[in-house]
Amino acid sequence: MTVEDQKEFIRLQEDRHDFTDNKKAYVSPICIEPSRNTQLYRILLHEFGHYVHYLEVVERPGNETEDDEMKEARDNFYFRLSKMEKEKFPHQYADRLKLKLMAEKVISFNRS
């Protein structure tokens, strides 16, 4: 596994996915709680992080008098960022938001 794959594997384990090593691959059954943890409490928050990152790099720095060329230059800069750089911010954003929501008892909620 690459370093990034290892980090994702750890995140999945933290989401409570149960893995079995069958010598060829790690296998995990699809279960409701771990899947919900991954999709709702991590991936969704991570995707929000991509949007916030884009806003911070491209949209928010300008002012009302800015011309289109400056915004386009920031947009080009954002899309030239490496994949690793584009993933770092959303991971951190999702982690911070999840901790905040847990502290405020917004998540994790019990299924009824």
Short mmCIF file of all heavy atoms in Angstrom, two decimals, residues 4 50 53 76-90:
data_model
loop_
_atom_site.label_atom_id
_atom_site.label_comp_id
_atom_site.label_asym_id
_atom_site.label_seq_id
_atom_site.Cartn_x
_atom_site.Cartn_y
_atom_site.Cartn_z
N GLU A 4 -0.66 7.00 1.25
CA GLU A 4 -2.03 7.50 1.25
C GLU A 4 -3.04 6.36 1.42
O GLU A 4 -4.05 6.51 2.09
CB GLU A 4 -2.32 8.30 -0.02
CG GLU A 4 -1.58 9.62 -0.08
CD GLU A 4 -1.82 10.50 1.13
OE1 GLU A 4 -2.99 10.70 1.51
OE2 GLU A 4 -0.84 11.01 1.70
N HIS A 50 -13.47 20.16 0.35
CA HIS A 50 -13.02 20.53 -0.99
C HIS A 50 -13.64 21.87 -1.41
O HIS A 50 -12.96 22.74 -1.95
CB HIS A 50 -13.40 19.46 -2.03
CG HIS A 50 -12.49 18.29 -2.06
ND1 HIS A 50 -11.17 18.37 -2.46
CD2 HIS A 50 -12.70 16.98 -1.76
CE1 HIS A 50 -10.61 17.18 -2.40
NE2 HIS A 50 -11.52 16.31 -1.98
N HIS A 53 -12.12 24.73 0.58
CA HIS A 53 -10.77 24.98 0.09
C HIS A 53 -10.82 25.79 -1.20
O HIS A 53 -10.08 26.77 -1.37
CB HIS A 53 -10.05 23.64 -0.13
CG HIS A 53 -8.60 23.77 -0.42
ND1 HIS A 53 -7.94 22.89 -1.24
CD2 HIS A 53 -7.67 24.67 -0.02
CE1 HIS A 53 -6.66 23.23 -1.32
NE2 HIS A 53 -6.47 24.31 -0.59
N ASN A 76 -6.79 28.84 -12.01
CA ASN A 76 -5.75 28.03 -12.65
C ASN A 76 -4.77 27.51 -11.61
O ASN A 76 -4.35 26.35 -11.66
CB ASN A 76 -5.01 28.84 -13.72
CG ASN A 76 -5.87 29.10 -14.93
OD1 ASN A 76 -6.83 28.38 -15.20
ND2 ASN A 76 -5.55 30.15 -15.66
N PHE A 77 -4.40 28.37 -10.66
CA PHE A 77 -3.49 27.95 -9.58
C PHE A 77 -4.10 26.79 -8.81
O PHE A 77 -3.43 25.79 -8.54
CB PHE A 77 -3.21 29.13 -8.64
CG PHE A 77 -2.51 28.72 -7.37
CD1 PHE A 77 -1.16 28.44 -7.38
CD2 PHE A 77 -3.22 28.60 -6.19
CE1 PHE A 77 -0.51 28.05 -6.20
CE2 PHE A 77 -2.59 28.20 -5.01
CZ PHE A 77 -1.22 27.93 -5.02
N TYR A 78 -5.37 26.91 -8.44
CA TYR A 78 -6.03 25.86 -7.66
C TYR A 78 -5.99 24.53 -8.41
O TYR A 78 -5.67 23.50 -7.84
CB TYR A 78 -7.48 26.24 -7.34
CG TYR A 78 -8.21 25.16 -6.59
CD1 TYR A 78 -8.04 25.01 -5.22
CD2 TYR A 78 -9.05 24.26 -7.24
CE1 TYR A 78 -8.69 24.01 -4.52
CE2 TYR A 78 -9.70 23.26 -6.55
CZ TYR A 78 -9.52 23.14 -5.19
OH TYR A 78 -10.15 22.13 -4.52
N PHE A 79 -6.32 24.55 -9.68
CA PHE A 79 -6.38 23.30 -10.44
C PHE A 79 -5.01 22.74 -10.78
O PHE A 79 -4.90 21.58 -11.18
CB PHE A 79 -7.28 23.46 -11.67
CG PHE A 79 -8.73 23.51 -11.29
CD1 PHE A 79 -9.43 24.70 -11.30
CD2 PHE A 79 -9.39 22.37 -10.85
CE1 PHE A 79 -10.76 24.76 -10.92
CE2 PHE A 79 -10.71 22.41 -10.45
CZ PHE A 79 -11.40 23.60 -10.49
N ARG A 80 -3.95 23.52 -10.59
CA ARG A 80 -2.58 23.01 -10.77
C ARG A 80 -2.02 22.41 -9.48
O ARG A 80 -0.95 21.81 -9.50
CB ARG A 80 -1.67 24.11 -11.28
CG ARG A 80 -1.84 24.41 -12.76
CD ARG A 80 -0.72 25.26 -13.30
NE ARG A 80 -0.44 26.45 -12.51
CZ ARG A 80 -0.95 27.65 -12.72
NH1 ARG A 80 -1.79 27.84 -13.71
NH2 ARG A 80 -0.63 28.67 -11.94
N LEU A 81 -2.71 22.58 -8.36
CA LEU A 81 -2.23 22.00 -7.11
C LEU A 81 -2.14 20.48 -7.26
O LEU A 81 -2.96 19.87 -7.95
CB LEU A 81 -3.17 22.33 -5.95
CG LEU A 81 -3.26 23.78 -5.52
CD1 LEU A 81 -4.36 23.95 -4.47
CD2 LEU A 81 -1.93 24.26 -4.97
N SER A 82 -1.18 19.88 -6.61
CA SER A 82 -1.05 18.42 -6.67
C SER A 82 -2.24 17.77 -5.98
O SER A 82 -2.91 18.38 -5.13
CB SER A 82 0.24 17.97 -5.97
OG SER A 82 0.14 18.17 -4.58
N LYS A 83 -2.50 16.53 -6.35
CA LYS A 83 -3.62 15.79 -5.74
C LYS A 83 -3.43 15.72 -4.23
O LYS A 83 -4.39 15.91 -3.48
CB LYS A 83 -3.70 14.38 -6.33
CG LYS A 83 -4.83 13.58 -5.76
CD LYS A 83 -4.90 12.18 -6.32
CE LYS A 83 -6.04 11.45 -5.62
NZ LYS A 83 -6.10 10.07 -5.94
N MET A 84 -2.20 15.47 -3.80
CA MET A 84 -1.93 15.36 -2.37
C MET A 84 -2.26 16.67 -1.65
O MET A 84 -2.85 16.67 -0.58
CB MET A 84 -0.47 14.96 -2.12
CG MET A 84 -0.17 14.67 -0.66
SD MET A 84 1.55 14.20 -0.37
CE MET A 84 1.67 12.72 -1.36
N GLU A 85 -1.89 17.78 -2.28
CA GLU A 85 -2.15 19.09 -1.69
C GLU A 85 -3.65 19.37 -1.63
O GLU A 85 -4.15 19.94 -0.68
CB GLU A 85 -1.43 20.16 -2.49
CG GLU A 85 -1.10 21.39 -1.69
CD GLU A 85 -0.15 22.32 -2.43
OE1 GLU A 85 0.54 21.86 -3.36
OE2 GLU A 85 -0.11 23.50 -2.07
N LYS A 86 -4.37 18.95 -2.68
CA LYS A 86 -5.83 19.16 -2.70
C LYS A 86 -6.56 18.27 -1.72
O LYS A 86 -7.68 18.57 -1.33
CB LYS A 86 -6.38 18.91 -4.10
CG LYS A 86 -6.16 20.03 -5.06
CD LYS A 86 -6.92 19.73 -6.33
CE LYS A 86 -6.40 20.51 -7.48
NZ LYS A 86 -6.99 20.11 -8.74
N GLU A 87 -5.96 17.17 -1.31
CA GLU A 87 -6.60 16.26 -0.36
C GLU A 87 -6.29 16.62 1.09
O GLU A 87 -7.08 16.32 1.99
CB GLU A 87 -6.19 14.82 -0.64
CG GLU A 87 -6.74 14.26 -1.92
CD GLU A 87 -8.26 14.24 -1.95
OE1 GLU A 87 -8.90 13.86 -0.94
OE2 GLU A 87 -8.83 14.60 -2.99
N LYS A 88 -5.18 17.25 1.34
CA LYS A 88 -4.75 17.57 2.71
C LYS A 88 -5.77 18.47 3.42
O LYS A 88 -6.20 18.18 4.53
CB LYS A 88 -3.38 18.23 2.69
CG LYS A 88 -2.82 18.52 4.05
CD LYS A 88 -1.44 19.16 3.94
CE LYS A 88 -0.92 19.50 5.32
NZ LYS A 88 0.39 20.16 5.23
N PHE A 89 -6.16 19.56 2.77
CA PHE A 89 -7.10 20.50 3.39
C PHE A 89 -8.43 19.82 3.72
O PHE A 89 -8.91 19.93 4.85
CB PHE A 89 -7.31 21.72 2.49
CG PHE A 89 -8.25 22.74 3.08
CD1 PHE A 89 -7.75 23.80 3.82
CD2 PHE A 89 -9.62 22.62 2.93
CE1 PHE A 89 -8.61 24.73 4.38
CE2 PHE A 89 -10.49 23.55 3.49
CZ PHE A 89 -9.98 24.61 4.22
N PRO A 90 -9.07 19.11 2.78
CA PRO A 90 -10.37 18.49 3.10
C PRO A 90 -10.29 17.45 4.22
O PRO A 90 -11.22 17.35 5.03
CB PRO A 90 -10.79 17.83 1.78
CG PRO A 90 -10.05 18.56 0.74
CD PRO A 90 -8.76 19.00 1.36
#
